[in-house]
Amino acid sequence: RKINGRDCTIVQFTKNSAFEDFFDENHISGHAQASIAFGLVYEDELVACLSLRRPFSNCYEDLVEIARFATKINTHVHGAFGKLLREVKKYVLQQEGKVGILTYADLCHGTGDVYSSNGFEYKGWTGLDYWYTDFKERFNRFDFKAQDGLSEAEIADINDVYRIYGCGSSRYKMILKNKEEVNK
């Protein structure tokens, strides 16, 4: 199914449950903790969504991170990312008072072209990443952190899960210099 982003209405979500289900159903990694999300609605149906959070690393404290972006499965929303990004730029400058946006492209599932083509600057590769699996589900590595004198490997072994590796991610950054930048 193909939809034009210009035919969609932008909505803002501030409650996680409103957009968590969308990402759980339509993003390979499911939802991520996020404080706000912007979505595109077409004929009363949420067809694209982008969520934001505070970056984990303090060295990015002046930025807002795109936590997730997805379109509904089997749906191409032409221009969805660009339309949502314009709204995000306004939010970052006017509501958060931050100077830019940080995001990552999982190299197992894409190249990050959507970020480059929308004005983000490539900032480097994160290195390999990993998860755990029981061969039915994939689990975040942080679910098996070392604790109570046990190493991460020991915690994983107790839980009968195995480490699997990804390709890492490309990191992208966009600095918003002024309010004119919002309209680009």
Side-chain angles (χ1 to χ4, degrees):
R1 175 169 73 146
K2 294 181 181 180
I3 298 169
N4 284 312
R6 66 178 172 262
D7 297 332
C8 299
T9 304
I10 295 177
V11 294
Q12 181 177 324
F13 301 101
T14 54
K15 294 189 177 181
N16 285 350
S17 61
F19 55 85
E20 283 180 356
D21 291 344
F22 181 84
F23 288 119
D24 286 342
E25 293 169 12
N26 298 288
H27 193 285
I28 193 160
S29 297
H31 76 277
Q33 290 299 318
S35 56
I36 193 166
F38 297 91
L40 293 181
V41 173
Y42 178 75
E43 296 180 352
D44 296 322
E45 177 185 15
L46 183 60
V47 294
C49 198
L50 185 153
S51 64
L52 302 172
R53 66 180 171 202
R54 177 181 299 133
F56 292 120
S57 175
N58 289 337
C59 69
Y60 299 120
E61 66 185 346
D62 58 342
L63 306 174
V64 172
E65 181 181 335
I66 294 175
R68 294 285 188 264
F69 169 69
T71 58
K72 192 163 180 76
I73 289 178
N74 297 320
T75 304
H76 174 77
V77 185
H78 183 74
F81 184 80
K83 184 167 184 164
L84 290 170
L85 181 61
R86 283 188 291 282
E87 197 67 24
V88 166
K89 287 177 183 180
K90 291 177 201 170
Y91 174 80
V92 169
L93 284 172
Q94 297 167 3
Q95 303 295 318
E96 289 288 325
K98 303 292 184 176
V99 300
I101 305 167
L102 175 72
T103 191
Y104 297 86
D106 184 339
L107 296 173
C108 284
H109 306 288
T111 61
D113 288 348
V114 71
Y115 301 122
S116 297
S117 65
N118 279 279
F120 283 81
E121 181 182 349
Y122 173 78
K123 299 308 271 184
W125 179 58
T126 62
L128 293 178
D129 48 359
Y130 67 93
W131 302 267
Y132 286 95
T133 185
D134 60 2
F135 301 108
K136 294 177 189 149
E137 290 184 62
R138 185 176 84 166
F139 304 102
N140 190 304
R141 68 181 184 265
F142 297 118
D143 293 343
F144 304 97
K145 290 190 298 190
Q147 59 183 328
D148 301 327
L150 296 173
S151 70
E152 181 178 326
E154 291 169 323
I155 299 286
D157 192 47
I158 289 168
N159 286 281
D160 202 26
V161 294
Y162 302 88
R163 188 181 285 197
I164 55 173
Y165 290 88
C167 299
S169 296
S170 290
R171 186 175 52 255
Y172 291 88
K173 186 161 87 170
M174 174 186 282
I175 298 300
L176 305 172
K177 296 179 176 60
N178 52 47
K179 291 186 181 180
E180 287 78 41
E181 181 72 25
V182 169
N183 297 318
K184 284 187 178 178

